[in-house]
Structure formats: C-alpha cells, structure tokens
Amino acid sequence: MTVAPQPPPRDDVRSDIVRAATRLLREHGADAVTTRAVAQTAGVQAPTIYRLFGDKNGLVDAVAEEVLAAYVASKADTEPGDPVADLRAGWHRHVEFGLTNPELFRLLGTRRPGDPSPATVAGVDVLRSRVRRLAAAGLLRVDEQRATTLIHAAGTGVILALLETSAPRRDPGLAEAMLDAVLGGILTATPVTSEPTVAAAAVTFAAAAPDLPGLTDAERALLTEWIHRSLTLLRGPHG
C-alpha cells in the first residue's frame, strides 16, 4: 500500500515563509515583499500566507519579530545601571538596528496610523520602562509620556535622516548630538532629591504614585490625574 506523503508541519511552513520574506526584503528591498513573490520563493500557494499571517502586515510583523529577536540575541545583556547610561545604550542600539536593517525599518514606518507593528510597540514599551527609571531617580523635568514621545520621535527621525544619506557621507556624530539635545530638554541638572523644583518633584511623585500603598485603584487614578494636570499647568500653553 502506498502511503501519501505528509505535508510539512505548520510551524515549518511558517518559518519557511518568514525566511523567504526576510531574504527578499534584504536582497531586493521592501517593494519586493509581495504575497506572490514570497509565496513563490517559499514554494507555497498564496492562500497559505493569508491563512497563516492574515495579510501582508501580519507577515511583515513576523519578519520584524524574527530579525529583531536575532539582533537582540547578538547583543550581550547587561544589568541595569545608571538610568541615563542605560538610556544612551538603548538609543545607540536602536539607531544601529535601524541602520543595519533599513528596508525593514522603512517598512515598519509605513504602517497605517493606529496600527503599529508589535515590534514597534515592544520597543516603545522598553523605552517607557527606561524613562520610568529616570523619573523614579528624580532626573526628569517633564512628564514620562512627553519624555517617551520626544525620545521615540527623535530616534525615528535621526535614523530616517541618516538613511537618506549615503553611508560614506553620513555625519557620525548626528545621532549622539540629537540625543544630547533631547536629554538637555527633558533632564534636570541635578536629581530632584538634591535640588528640587516643582515640576521635577511632580514628575518623580507621578512615577511613584502607582506603587503607593493604602490607596484604592480609584484614589490612585485620581491622584495620578491631579499630578498630570499640575504638570500641564506648569508647562503652560506652549509647553
């Protein structure tokens, strides 16, 4: 009796498709990552891609996850240290990743508003945790959300600016200068515990508010709202 060949496991097919899309992206650019081209390269039918990934965005997300995981795995993990030094290290890794994977970075940046890639969301979450450490150390003079948004926007902008210039002509100090400019606008000269200011003290208190004992969830939410309202007033209409 002849036994019909068994189809490859679902996970193997998925991995083959992701590898094919990654190869097309690196060798031929973002425009080459079409459903038809990926299916042909992976040796599958186009409906298989839709069944496993939903749509092209789902496939791009899977590619981003694999490339990002490989990149992170290639970097040595370090114990958290000085929060400013850790932020600088994270900034440099982010810029390096964007310059090393330009087509993927551009592809992730073309997503529809309100539909960010999970890789982007995860990156912002890491940034947010680093900013929270700055706030808890009394080093922020703006609220955490503004600091996170400024750093994220500056990082994205500097990578795109560098990618618009051929590698030999890039300003090697541009990313560092951009980070210094942002930090100059969001950090206090000294920790709030040493020389408190109203705004810096409010930011530090806001970082601690979620962990304050003895408060109900409603009381904690109301306290946080008051703090952020105070920060908005301190910044003024042009803050």
Side-chain angles (χ1 to χ4, degrees):
M1 181 177 66
T2 302
V3 178
Q6 296 296 313
R10 180 187 178 100
D11 288 346
D12 290 347
V13 174
R14 190 179 193 280
S15 296
D16 289 344
I17 293 172
V18 171
R19 282 194 293 268
T22 302
R23 185 164 68 251
L24 285 170
L25 181 65
R26 285 178 169 164
E27 294 178 1
H28 303 291
D31 291 342
V33 185
T34 64
T35 302
R36 176 179 296 180
V38 173
Q40 183 176 1
T41 303
V44 301
Q45 298 297 315
T48 302
I49 294 179
Y50 291 111
R51 186 171 67 252
L52 293 177
F53 301 96
D55 57 14
K56 181 180 176 180
N57 276 350
L59 176 58
V60 171
D61 290 342
V63 171
E65 182 180 351
E66 177 164 296
V67 173
L68 186 59
Y71 176 80
V72 171
S74 70
K75 302 298 177 182
D77 291 332
T78 57
E79 292 296 325
D82 174 77
V84 178
D86 289 345
L87 179 64
R88 284 187 178 277
W91 169 277
H92 292 311
R93 283 194 294 270
H94 176 66
V95 172
E96 181 185 10
F97 178 80
L99 297 181
T100 304
N101 302 276
E103 294 296 337
L104 178 58
F105 187 84
R106 291 190 182 100
L107 203 54
L108 292 175
T110 60
R111 297 289 289 264
R112 296 185 300 272
D115 181 31
S117 161
T120 301
V121 172
V124 173
D125 285 343
V126 171
L127 172 59
R128 190 174 288 113
S129 69
R130 290 196 173 103
V131 171
R132 170 59 59 89
R133 291 183 59 221
L134 292 171
L139 295 172
L140 281 185
R141 59 188 180 94
V142 300
D143 63 76
E144 292 178 49
Q145 181 59 44
R146 170 162 287 209
T148 300
T149 302
L150 283 170
I151 297 168
H152 177 62
T156 301
V158 79
I159 292 171
L160 291 175
L162 289 170
L163 290 177
E164 289 175 356
T165 308
S166 60
R169 299 181 59 189
R170 288 174 187 163
D171 178 355
L174 181 62
E176 188 73 17
M178 176 67 80
L179 178 59
D180 287 340
V182 173
L183 294 183
I186 67 174
L187 296 182
T188 60
T190 57
V192 64
T193 52
S194 301
E195 188 176 328
T197 65
V198 175
V203 170
T204 306
F205 189 36
D211 300 318
L212 289 175
L215 297 178
T216 66
D217 290 343
E219 290 169 338
R220 193 172 286 108
L222 184 59
L223 176 61
T224 301
E225 180 185 346
W226 285 343
I227 295 171
H228 286 293
R229 187 182 302 173
S230 297
L231 285 168
T232 301
L233 293 173
L234 286 169
R235 282 204 302 261
H238 305 293

